[in-house]
Amino acid sequence: MACEALPRQGDWTDEEYLWLTDRCRRLIEFTDGYVEELPMPTSSHQAVLAFLYRLLHGYLEPRGGVAMFAALRLRIREGKFREPDLLVLRDREDERYQDRYWLGADLVAEVVSPDRPARDLVEKRVDYAEAGIPEYWIVDPRDETVTILELADGAFVEHGVFTRGDVGASPSFDGLSLDVGALFDAAKNP
């Protein structure tokens, strides 16, 4: 598909979005015919992401689960795809675990992007609730907080907001906890 043959904003289909993201090296999300190119991550963003991945992978692997990091597409519903920073499934054999894109997750995590924080704080909160994802972690380097949300009656409620000196515990993964100070120290010392 040549650039001049690409659809106009508002006219993209799921398959056209998937075709584009199969061929480019950027993070691109899709909502109801519109594509949005996400900013390139910074070193500190990637350091936080690496810390979280090691934590989640270490917790999940011996239990048969799986953690993956961006760029991996997550289908919210027909017409909407996100590319979470981290995606988690309790069971590697879960039918939602697909190669091209996942059909759901048990936990997603986002590191807040400074270009448009509302994307991670508000919009994705609604999207992940729509997808029925039970747990959402929002890591905000601006104020060094980790907000852990859990799904209740179709919407996320705060399980807790954790800062330096706190250990945030998952409400749905028994024994999974996060030292918030160590997380943000990793961003300063990648």
Side-chain angles (χ1 to χ4, degrees), residues 41-134:
T42 62
S43 290
S44 59
H45 178 281
Q46 293 301 85
V48 166
L49 184 57
F51 184 97
L52 285 172
Y53 173 77
R54 287 190 302 270
L55 172 79
L56 292 166
H57 176 75
Y59 175 87
L60 291 160
E61 186 179 44
R63 293 168 173 83
V66 62
M68 293 285 181
F69 48 86
L72 179 63
R73 298 167 292 211
L74 171 67
R75 185 176 184 185
I76 303 298
R77 59 164 166 78
E78 184 175 339
K80 183 174 278 195
F81 286 82
R82 289 294 193 176
E83 293 192 20
D85 286 323
L86 284 166
L87 301 95
V88 167
L89 283 170
R90 293 177 183 281
D91 182 357
R92 182 177 286 279
E93 303 302 319
D94 191 306
E95 293 177 354
R96 298 173 295 171
Y97 182 86
Q98 302 284 313
D99 192 41
R100 196 169 185 204
Y101 56 87
W102 281 18
L103 300 172
D106 294 317
L107 183 154
V108 293
E110 295 283 2
V111 179
V112 174
S113 297
D115 74 307
R116 200 161 65 81
R119 179 188 310 110
D120 300 313
L121 298 169
V122 179
E123 295 168 21
K124 289 187 178 186
R125 182 175 177 153
V126 171
D127 291 343
Y128 297 146
E130 178 182 1
I133 296 168

